[in-house]
Amino acid sequence: MKKLGFGLMRLPVHFKLPTLISLGMVKKMTDYFIDNGFVYFDTAYMYHLSKSESTVRTALVDRYKREDFILADKLPVMAPFIRNKEQQETIFNKQLAKCGVEYFDYYLIHSLTAKSHKLAKELDSFSFVQQKKAEGKIKHVGFSFHDNAEVLDTILSEHPEVEFVQLQINYLDWDSPRVQSRRCYEVAVKHGKPVIVMEPVKGGTLANLPAEAEKLLKDYNPNASIASWAIRFAASLDNVMVVLSGMSNFEQIQDNISFMRNFEPLNEKERAIIEKVVSIINGAITVPCTTCGYCIEGCPKKIPIPQFFTIYNKAMQTPNKQTTYRASYKKLAKKYCSATECIECGKCESSCPQHITIIKYLKDVSKHFE
Ligand code: SF4
Ligand code: SF4
C-alpha cells in the first residue's frame, strides 16, 4: 500500500457555508486519488458534524468496488456520543449503514487518553471491537491516541490484541514534551505495532511557516511545497504504514500525490534543515492549536475556539496587521460568541487532543482583541 491516506476530516466546503461539503469536489479528489494508485480513506463518526461518513458513501463506496479501497472508521468513546455499553452497537451499525459498507478494513477506538481509556474500560470497548472482528465486520482493530508515551505503553501492554495505532506525528511535535511524538512512536515500535500517522502537517500549521523558515526550505528545493516536507518527514519513519493528509482542495491532493507517488525518504541534509525550521517555528507560534474542532462540540457558548486561535496566532506573528485581525475577530465574535463570554466550565479542555489550556488562551485572545 502506498504511504498516503486521504483523511476525511477537512473536506472541501462551500466558501460561504462552511458546514456544506462540496460533494462534486470530493468526488473529483476521490477519483484522482484512486486513479493514482492510492487506496486508504479515513473517516470518523463526528467529522464534519457527522457528515463525513455519508460523504464517503456518496463519493467513494457507491462509485467503486469494495475491494478497490481501504476504509477506516472510528468508535467515538466519548460524551456526548456514547454514554453506555449498548450505544456502541447502535453507533457501529449506524456507521456501517452511513458508509454503505458491510465491514470496515480498519476500525479504531477514537482518541484514547488516560481519561477516555478509563471510559473504554467501563464500556468494555476493546471486547466490543474484537466481537465485531469475529463477526467479520472489522478486518483490523486499533486505536487513535492523544496522550503521553507512558499511557500508550500501559494501553498496549493491557491490549496486545490491538493490531496498529494511530499517532500524531509531525516534525514540530517530534520532540515536544507535550505531544511526545517520538516517544509514542518508539513505544509503538517496542510493542511491534505499525503506526498510522495523523496530523503530519499539524492542522495546516506546517504548510504556513514563518518567512524565515519558508526561505530555508525554498532555498534547498524551490519546487517542493512547504507541506511536502512535513508529510515526507512522517512517511520516512520505517514503522509508519500510512500518513493521513486532510486534503481540502484539488491543489493539495495534486501536490501530495506528486511526491508520494514515488516516495523518497528525507535525506540527512533535509533532516538538518527541518531541525532549524523547528527552532524558528517554536519561537513564533503562540497557541499550538491544530484546528481539529473537537473542543467546539461540548462548548455551551459555542465559542469558535479554533478560529480565534488561528487569528490570534497570525496577529502575534504579524504585528503590522492588527487592524485586519481585530476586524476578523469582531466579525466572528458577533456571529458566534466572544472569547470574553467563556464561562470557564472546562468542557473544551477535556476534549482537546493537544492538551491546550484553552481557558487561559481565550483570556489572552480577549485581552488582545477587545
Ligand atoms: S471553558 Fe469556555 S470555551 Fe471551554 S467549553 Fe466552557 S464556555 Fe466553552
Ligand atoms: S483548541 Fe484543541 S480541540 Fe480545539 S481545535 Fe485547537 S487543538 Fe482542536
Side-chain angles (χ1 to χ4, degrees):
M1 181 167 67
K2 284 187 168 26
K3 267 187 161 179
L4 177 70
F6 196 160
L8 304 160
M9 185 169 94
R10 295 185 171 93
L11 290 169
V13 290
H14 193 277
F15 80 105
K16 275 190 180 161
L17 260 181
T19 51
L20 190 66
I21 295 170
S22 302
L23 199 50
M25 181 49 74
V26 181
K27 285 182 182 171
K28 187 176 162 187
M29 290 167 74
T30 300
D31 293 345
Y32 190 73
F33 195 68
I34 288 199
D35 288 349
N36 279 281
F38 294 84
V39 291
Y40 195 97
F41 292 81
D42 172 87
T43 187
Y45 189 71
M46 81 274 273
Y47 288 176
H48 277 281
L49 303 170
S50 300
K51 288 182 195 133
S52 175
E53 290 169 328
S54 48
T55 304
V56 171
R57 177 176 189 151
T58 317
L60 175 72
V61 180
D62 288 350
R63 300 169 64 238
Y64 287 90
K65 283 194 246 153
R66 183 64 184 90
E67 59 274 23
D68 288 347
F69 59 88
I70 289 173
L71 183 59
D73 206 341
K74 310 185 189 76
L75 184 69
V77 179
M78 55 189 90
F81 306 106
I82 293 181
R83 293 180 192 279
N84 60 54
K85 216 170 164 178
E86 292 66 41
Q87 279 177 316
Q88 296 183 124
E89 181 77 35
T90 314
I91 293 235
F92 183 79
N93 290 334
K94 202 167 159 188
Q95 290 180 300
L96 286 174
K98 277 177 83 182
C99 292
V101 293
E102 287 178 359
Y103 65 91
F104 294 114
D105 300 278
Y106 288 77
Y107 195 73
L108 304 87
I109 298 178
H110 198 167
S111 194
L112 281 188
T113 57
K115 190 178 165 200
S116 62
H117 181 223
K118 211 168 148 236
L119 178 62
K121 274 183 176 175
E122 282 165 28
L123 301 176
D124 208 8
S125 304
F126 282 90
S127 305
F128 173 77
V129 289
Q130 285 304 323
Q131 180 202 321
K132 292 295 151 198
K133 188 179 172 191
E135 290 170 17
K137 293 177 181 171
I138 296 174
K139 302 280 183 207
H140 303 286
V141 162
F143 60 85
S144 61
F145 182 76
H146 285 288
D147 210 321
N148 64 41
E150 210 178 309
V151 175
L152 181 62
D153 198 24
T154 304
I155 301 177
L156 285 176
S157 302
E158 284 180 22
H159 294 285
E161 77 280 9
V162 160
E163 294 162 85
F164 67 97
V165 286
Q166 186 163 309
L167 302 176
Q168 173 168 328
I169 294 181
N170 57 66
Y171 64 71
L172 194 60
D173 290 325
W174 188 237
D175 283 317
S176 132
R178 202 171 38 81
V179 180
Q180 302 187 351
S181 289
R182 180 205 289 270
R183 292 190 56 214
C184 288
Y185 173 76
E186 286 167 356
V187 167
V189 172
K190 183 182 97 177
H191 285 269
K193 308 297 175 192
V195 171
I196 294 176
V197 172
M198 58 186 159
E199 301 288 9
V201 192
K202 204 169 165 59
T205 303
L206 304 184
N208 295 293
L209 303 182
E212 192 191 343
E214 186 166 330
K215 185 174 179 314
L216 278 179
L217 302 186
K218 285 292 176 191
D219 282 351
Y220 180 81
N221 184 352
N223 299 322
S225 67
I226 302 302
S228 71
W229 288 77
I231 292 174
R232 285 181 59 229
F233 173 86
S236 295
L237 297 162
D238 290 340
N239 199 44
V240 163
M241 186 172 92
V242 66
V243 178
L244 301 175
S245 176
M247 297 170 278
S248 306
N249 58 47
F250 199 68
E251 290 69 35
Q252 286 175 3
I253 203 166
Q254 276 181 313
D255 177 51
N256 284 354
I257 284 177
S258 70
F259 58 84
M260 289 304 286
R261 195 185 283 117
N262 299 307
F263 169 67
E264 284 199 23
L266 293 177
N267 61 37
E268 281 311 310
K269 227 171 181 176
E270 288 172 321
R271 286 180 191 283
I273 293 173
I274 281 186
E275 275 182 33
K276 286 186 193 160
V277 166
V278 169
S279 349
I280 297 169
I281 305 173
N282 277 337
I285 291 182
T286 310
V287 191
C289 170
T290 63
T291 66
C292 67
Y294 289 6
C295 52
I296 303 173
E297 195 74 41
C299 173
K301 305 297 281 184
K302 294 290 167 233
I303 295 174
I305 301 164
Q307 289 99 319
F308 280 168
F309 288 164
T310 302
I311 296 171
Y312 184 57
N313 279 337
K314 285 181 182 163
M316 291 292 107
Q317 283 167 14
T318 42
N320 57 341
K321 287 194 176 168
Q322 295 310 307
T323 317
T324 313
Y325 294 127
R326 185 164 290 112
S328 307
Y329 170 81
K330 297 261 179 202
K331 205 170 157 191
L332 269 173
K334 195 173 168 201
K335 189 170 177 192
Y336 300 100
C337 192
S338 73
T340 324
E341 289 170 80
C342 168
I343 56 167
E344 302 187 23
C345 66
K347 285 188 178 155
C348 52
E349 292 192 357
S350 60
S351 59
C352 175
Q354 309 303 320
H355 313 291
I356 292 170
T357 48
I358 297 175
I359 299 171
K360 176 212 165 276
Y361 279 123
L362 281 179
K363 282 185 183 156
D364 293 348
V365 169
S366 155
K367 198 169 158 196
H368 185 80
F369 290 121
E370 295 191 26

